[in-house]
Structures are given as C-alpha cells and as structure tokens.
Amino acid sequence: MSAAVQGLPRTVLRLHRTALLLWAAVVAGLIGWLVYLNEVTAPATRRAVQACAHADVCIDAFDSFDYGNTVGWVGTLICYTFLAVAVFAGGALVGRELESGTARLAWTQGVTPVRWLTTKLALSAVAVAAGGLALVLVFRWSWSANEDLIPITNWYQSDIIVARGPLTVAYGLCALAVGALAALLLRRTLAGLGAAFAAMWLLNFLLTRYRADLWPAVTRTSPSEPDLAYDVWRVNWGRNADGYFAVYHPASHFWALQWVETGIVLAVAALTTAAAYAVLRRRAA
C-alpha cells in the first residue's frame, strides 16, 4: 500500500480540521447550553413559581425565565444542523477539491477516486454521527428532566420530534451523501453547497408535511366533543352526521413515527451514496 493511501485519512483530517473543530464547538456549545438550562435555569424557575402567592405573579415569574421557549430554540438548532452538514459536504468536503483540481491530482498519486471519496465520507460520517448522538442524548435528558416546565413546546413539533431521536443523526448522514452527490454533479463549490442545502431543505419539508401519515392515526368518534389527552397530536377533528370525530396521534406513537421517518431518510442516504459513486466513476474515467 502506497504512502499516499496510508496517509489519506490524516490528510483529510488536516485539510478539514477547521470544519471539524467548528462542529465540535457547536456540539459542545449546545450541550453546555442545555446543561446550564437544566442545572441553573430550571431550578430557579421552580423556586420562583413555588414562591408565588398569586397566579398572575406566578405566570410572570415563569415567563421571566422563559425556560420552555429557550429549550425549544435549542431543539430547533439541533434539528437543523443537517443543513450546515449539507453545505459543508457540497462545498468544502467535495466541491472545492473538484473545482480546484486537487481531487484529480490526488487520483494521480496512488489514491483511487473511490478510496478518496470513501475516506472523506467515512471520517465525516463518524464526526456527524457522534456529534448528533451526543446532542440527542443530552436533549432527551433535558426534555425528560423538566418537561413540566415546557408547556409551549410539544413532542410532535416539527423540530422537536427530530431533536429527540435518531432522526438527527439520519438527517446528518443523508446531508453528507446529498452534498457529495451535488458536488460531483455540479463540480463547483457554490453551486454544490447551494444545491445540497436546497435538496435537504426540500426533503425535510416534505417529510414534515406528511409526517402524520407515516403511521396510522387513531380515530375517535362520540356524540359529544371527544375529551382528548393534552399531549395528543390532533391531525383532524370536527363534526359530521355521526357526531364529533377526532383523528390524532397519542404520545405513544412518537417512536413509531420516529423510526419510520428515520428509515426513509437513511434509505435516501443509501441511494444517494450509491448515485454519488456511480457519478464519481464516470467523472474519473
């Protein structure tokens, strides 16, 4: 095995160390934020609410800490980290080297195109998966520890449902594959990152729009308006000739919806990765 091949992982890490360090800083920053919210803000919110003598004062005290809203924003940031991954993959990871000619130079130094792309995607995938998993675990801990203080954010909210499960990792890995394919097709840095961003945004938009249909919902009818639990996801409701009806997902459907969508996203990632290698072989021929 040539020295170029043996040193390829080290070269990739050195070439993209700034992006890796930035990713590590983002993960550490969000985790630190969540820890602070749970260890400092949440206890302070509870003490303020317990010390209230009147309901209006309690509401003011609760709102002054704005705990639930802040947790919701952290969940949003965790959810959409995949857009940053798509930009990185379509731009710096693959697109820039194709545009500058660095990739073809590497291919003449004993590194095959397939090994070149595999090393880039594999090392990036480890970083994305590890960071995403850490964010999900800490966010789930944060959510479960003080869920009673998050009345304005629901489990079925589009960004929260991603941030609380493997969808965060799945979207990140899919963004890597989509970014690589976009760069290989367009061979331009800005075009690659723009196309990858748009494609991942569209994928997330479509799956969010049709998420309620990924698992059979519960339908309930009654002569009077159904009394549903506060944490159900109401998909449809109203009144017809038979009385009142409600179509909803109970909180117990969280994991079913989560795993079905995760499977879809990973399937897209696998197909996109296969397409990227097919395009690479044609480009390098």
Side-chain angles (χ1 to χ4, degrees):
M1 186 178 292
S2 68
V5 173
Q6 292 177 336
L8 184 57
R10 184 181 303 173
T11 301
V12 172
L13 291 174
R14 184 173 65 250
L15 183 63
H16 301 293
R17 62 181 179 275
T18 300
L20 292 173
L21 289 173
L22 180 60
W23 171 245
V26 169
V27 172
L30 290 174
I31 289 176
W33 194 0
L34 287 170
V35 171
Y36 179 85
L37 286 171
N38 276 269
E39 299 299 324
V40 178
T41 307
T45 301
R46 292 187 188 282
R47 288 194 298 269
V49 171
Q50 292 171 359
C52 287
H54 305 287
D56 291 340
V57 177
C58 286
I59 292 174
D60 291 340
F62 187 88
D63 288 345
S64 67
F65 287 93
D66 208 15
Y67 176 83
N69 190 47
T70 305
V71 171
W73 274 112
V74 177
T76 299
L77 292 175
I78 292 174
C79 169
Y80 291 108
T81 52
F82 69 85
L83 292 176
V85 174
V87 168
F88 164 70
L93 185 66
V94 178
R96 185 172 60 191
E97 293 195 39
L98 291 172
E99 184 176 22
S100 65
T102 306
R104 285 201 171 272
L105 178 62
W107 300 344
T108 64
Q109 302 299 316
V111 178
T112 65
V114 170
R115 187 182 295 274
W116 171 82
L117 182 60
T118 300
T119 303
K120 283 181 167 293
L121 291 180
L123 293 176
S124 300
V126 170
V128 169
L133 179 60
L135 288 172
V136 169
L137 291 176
V138 175
F139 188 76
R140 286 188 61 81
W141 161 73
S142 171
W143 182 278
S144 61
N146 297 288
E147 189 171 358
D148 60 309
L149 297 180
I150 317 176
I152 61 174
T153 306
N154 299 299
W155 67 268
Y156 51 82
Q157 188 171 309
S158 59
D159 46 1
I160 299 302
I161 200 170
V162 174
R164 291 184 63 212
L167 270 172
T168 295
V169 176
Y171 271 113
L173 296 177
C174 188
L176 273 178
V178 170
L181 178 60
L184 287 164
L185 288 172
L186 300 173
R187 291 183 290 180
R188 292 291 184 272
T189 303
L190 292 179
L193 67 86
F197 182 96
M200 285 306 302
W201 178 87
L202 179 61
L203 175 65
N204 176 255
F205 172 80
L206 291 174
L207 287 175
T208 299
R209 183 180 181 89
Y210 296 104
R211 181 172 290 149
D213 300 323
L214 297 179
W215 191 259
V218 176
T219 300
R220 182 176 172 183
T221 60
S222 65
S224 58
E225 189 170 355
D227 184 18
L228 302 178
Y230 75 95
D231 60 348
V232 303
W233 179 8
R234 292 196 180 197
V235 178
N236 191 15
W237 64 92
R239 187 176 183 180
N240 54 28
D242 299 323
Y244 291 89
F245 70 92
V247 182
Y248 63 94
H249 287 288
S252 59
H253 283 191
F254 170 83
W255 283 112
L257 293 165
Q258 182 80 214
W259 286 117
V260 171
E261 187 171 347
T262 297
I264 294 172
V265 175
L266 290 179
V268 172
L271 292 173
T272 306
T273 301
Y277 278 102
V279 172
L280 176 64
R281 290 187 179 93
R282 290 202 303 270
R283 297 294 191 202

